[in-house]
Amino acid sequence: MAVVSWKEILLVTGLVVGCYWNSLSCGFVFDDVSAILDNKDLRPSTPLGNLFLNDFWGTPMAEERSHKSYRPLTVLTFRLNYVFSELSAASYHLLNVMLHAVVCVLFLRVCRLFLDRTFSLLAALLFAVHPVHTEAVTGVVGRAELLSSIFLLAAFLAYTKSTSADHSIVWPPIALTVVLVASATLCKEQGITVVGICCVYEVFVAQGFTLPMLLDTLRQILLGKDGFPYAVLQTLLKLIVLVISTLLLVIIRVQVIQSQLPVFTRFDNPAAVSPTPTRQLTFNYLLPVNAWLLLNPSELCCDWTMGTIPLVESVLDLRNLATVLFYTFLCLLAHYSLRYRHSSAKTVIMALSLIVLPFIPASNLFFPVGFVVAERVLYVPSMGFCVLVAHGFKIVSNKGQLKKLSKVMIGVLLTTHAAKTFNRNWDWESEYTLFTSALKVNKNNAKLWNNVGHALENQNNYAMALRYFLQATRVQPDDIGAHMNVGRTYKNLNKSKEAEEAYLVAKSLMPQVIPGKKYATRVAPNHLNVYINLANLIRANDSRLEEADQLYRQAISMRPDFKQAYISRQELLLKMNKPTEARDAYLRALELDGTNADLWYNLAIVNIEMKDPSEALKNFNHALELNPRHKLALFNSALLMQESGEPRFWPEANRRFLTYVEEEPDDANGYFNLGMLAMDANENAAAEHWMRKAIGLQAGFRSALFNLALLYSQSKREVDALPVLDELLRHHPEHVKGLILKGDILMNHKKDTRGAKACFERILHMDPTNVQGKHNLCVVYFEERDLPRAERCLEETLALAPSEEYVRRHLNIVRSKMAAMSAAGEPLSREGASGSAKEEKPQEAKEEIAVGEKEGRAAVGVGTGAGDEKNARKSSVEGLRGGGADQTEPLDSTQAGKRTKGKSTKEINDIEEKRAAALKRLEEIERILSGD
């Protein structure tokens, strides 16, 4: 048995790299999106044990909507990719190329068992470049085929060593074979078929039996003329061990899927739900279709479902001739290989076993699968095909006159296949290129039109996407998903009427109630989204909320485990002011999926709506236990801790905000809230740093600018505060508190009464009823020694706020001052003013500004631009909208000392201390004025 040399390994590997290096520039397309981008099992935050509880797509095996494809070892390699490169597609494609090279080398090693050095290398080279493999190699999800093939070939090679030179059984290779078979099966289900290949090898190659010999031996035994030959007993013993091991694997596999087959619709595999004889004729016709893809891979398509291959509905259909020819050729090969003992027959029988046995699970002949034709499932069967082709060239090359021609044909075949493979890889660059290339091959598949539409939709090209979705409805008028896509696109184009009409068409195509029959067996879970989408559309109209709720409840009645319906209904219930029912809807959803961090997050938002912050924090923590990097839970739980007024929560709140900014380094609100937290803790340097960071990311960030100016003012750095206030007022000229603070600084520190007066007058121009601005303008008049005007101003202020005692006292002081000056014969206007109180009275303005002026933090919200807030209560998955507060203007500037939404206890105490100090200073000012 010739071994594989390093030169051959380098040749095969080099050819693989040459054909597939351009696949490294491809992204995640088609099924990659579900298996990689949307699969939480790849994330390190997901317990490793979940890989063995969920299917290939991350759905729990126990759920009815599960695909039942159990491939934990394949998902484990995806997870390793994620650990090293997260979602960098190039690393996933690189590993696929490397695995394909390993498969080619192992295949070369297997071919050496049946072919000589030259033609075994030819078989391996042809396998390396065959274009039908692009789906398995360039498509990331094709890794299941690659890994399963590695273990399959390794198991077969191990089994070939189970017989010693003296023809006795060697058990360690058999034990290793069983382990490798189990590993192959955990990568993809078809891996178990290697047991059948080993059985064929043992009987017809290792033992050298032919079918006539087996029949004769069986006849002799039945007639009692002879016992079991020793060789037959050894063979039976080895096969019994393999069969029992296989049965155990099958039993375990059935237990894993809980004896349930996956649910497929007629759109996935139309023949599967067709009557006899259409079903049988179509499934048998698919065999020559697959064979033709191996013979002539010129027209490859990523999706062969729906109307790609019309049903064979009559025995008179001419396509049945292809089926007859296929079975005739297959029977001739089987007859040749089973009748003779020479090496050529052994090569053919092994080639046939590699073609037929691994293809049986995907053939639809014994149980339906979720596709009509899939190129990636031909990965292992193509090994047998390549062996047959190489063997055929070997026979031809032995004929002298055809030897040179065969070499030319081999060269042309390898070159054309390599070029086709290389070019085919470019089709997998993006979803748009993949599906448009598929439409060139097949225009009768509505799914392809839909997928091109989705690709355009992802580029926000809704008008063009709509054209493809409408074409999908024309190709397949009863395609529920196509009509849903049309409705969604009309909605994106703000054409609500057309969207509703499309959704109603989709709804009308849903199966009607059949007494005693569950909807789950007849409806694809994603089709139920038509109720969700329609309800989401019509609930924009407040008069149709009950109608929307009825749609949600209808979806739930059809599938009580329809989690999305509970989540969407919860949002509606909040809008209908039914928070208790909304909470119950989420609790029901959590019963269905208690490991979903987003559900716990949304339940916390409901708790906030119900004014239950302690329960909200508990549920935020649940979400973070499941996903420690859940951005919205990090932000809002930290904010809740900050607003609790409990200093013991501040360190954890600070840690969560820091984690949040690691996840969202470009979100200014994370830094702003870190700054607010530092201000709460009187850490002024840190507060300044974070506020500056927020302003640098979001020019004109209103709250950050004001609070930074306020920080400077409170830190006796009024000169630094003025440029910040100028920037604030440049972006937000209507900012009342900024104008008040600027006026205070100008009057008390710059002695610029004119500038201060302009600030307060601007406030009154925007809001003539603003008490604080009006009062401070009165102070300016007093500073200017215009007592009559100050008196009139304070009278007007008192009329606006008759309950404000300090305004009344100030008015009395001014009147007393005017009376004293009149008695002394002094002028009451600016020209004769002594200004004895000039340094004292403006302090009152500052105190009025300081009380309650710390501007609110981004209360349960995350801003995206100057003056533009997004609601952080939005569910990261389901689109739940909460009732967040305006992050930048929570104070009512018309009332000094009114509490900011979300003020901490410490802030309230600070406010009260400042108010007490203000009153004390007010008394001093009054004594000075009275004495003067």
Side-chain angles (χ1 to χ4, degrees), residues 253-320:
R253 183 68 175 83
V254 171
Q255 289 297 317
V256 166
I257 66 173
Q258 300 185 0
S259 302
Q260 294 179 346
L261 288 175
V263 176
F264 300 116
T265 68
R266 59 190 175 87
F267 300 107
D268 299 316
N269 191 344
V273 295
S274 298
T276 303
T278 300
R279 182 171 64 256
Q280 291 77 13
L281 292 175
T282 302
F283 283 156
N284 280 281
Y285 171 68
L286 294 180
L287 300 178
V289 170
N290 281 278
W292 183 249
L293 287 175
L294 293 175
L295 280 168
N296 180 31
S298 59
E299 292 187 340
L300 299 177
C301 182
C302 62
D303 193 299
W304 295 79
T305 56
M306 303 188 85
T308 302
I309 300 176
L311 297 174
V312 181
E313 298 179 305
S314 168
V315 293
L316 300 179
D317 193 312
L318 292 178
R319 290 175 293 173
N320 290 317

Side-chain angles (χ1 to χ4, degrees), residues 631-643:
K631 291 180 286 190
L632 295 177
L634 284 168
F635 184 92
N636 287 289
S637 63
L639 195 57
L640 206 57
M641 291 177 175
Q642 185 179 4
E643 292 177 342

